[in-house]
Amino acid sequence: MDHETERARELHRTLEFIGLRAQATTVGLLQLCAELVNAGVLNDDAIERIKQSIFREIAANQPRGYNRAEFERTLKQRLDAIFPHAADAEPRGRVGTVDEMETSLDPETARPADD
């Protein structure tokens, strides 16, 4: 057994022990990833590494009797479908200053620019 598979199995046992295999945890992870992608913190490579770690965890504990290649192909498709993609995120502009915000809200109250 390779090192990555052994690490995945140990992580699986730990997660089961502390009860973090619930759907709510997964939904929270997906939302966190989406927020970080939208904020420009995570890129597609980071999302791929996250998906790969989940893939290893599930594949390492695949039920017997399934066609392994088909199981892994389906698993990858499902992970791809639920995780955000950085390419789909809207680019974020800079936040701006308080003066710029005030000007956009009420141009008549704008402070004169410092020279």
Side-chain angles (χ1 to χ4, degrees), residues 3-14:
H3 182 68
E4 287 296 318
T5 302
E6 182 55 37
R7 287 183 60 205
R9 286 193 174 148
E10 181 59 33
L11 180 59
H12 173 82
R13 288 187 291 270
T14 301

Side-chain angles (χ1 to χ4, degrees), residues 4-42:
E4 287 296 318
T5 302
E6 182 55 37
R7 287 183 60 205
R9 286 193 174 148
E10 181 59 33
L11 180 59
H12 173 82
R13 288 187 291 270
T14 301
L15 291 174
E16 280 194 342
F17 178 74
I18 61 176
L20 286 177
R21 298 198 46 91
Q23 290 172 335
T25 303
T26 303
V27 170
L29 172 66
L30 292 170
Q31 183 62 39
L32 177 62
C33 287
E35 296 293 335
L36 293 173
V37 165
N38 288 336
V41 175
L42 290 180

Side-chain angles (χ1 to χ4, degrees), residues 75-113:
L75 175 58
K76 179 159 180 19
Q77 289 171 346
R78 290 180 180 177
L79 287 171
D80 288 344
I82 62 171
F83 272 87
H85 301 278
D88 298 338
E90 294 181 25
R92 300 279 179 160
R94 67 183 187 84
V95 173
T97 66
V98 171
D99 289 338
E100 290 170 331
M101 181 185 76
E102 288 174 352
T103 301
S104 69
L105 294 174
D106 187 2
E108 293 179 17
T109 63
R111 297 181 205 164

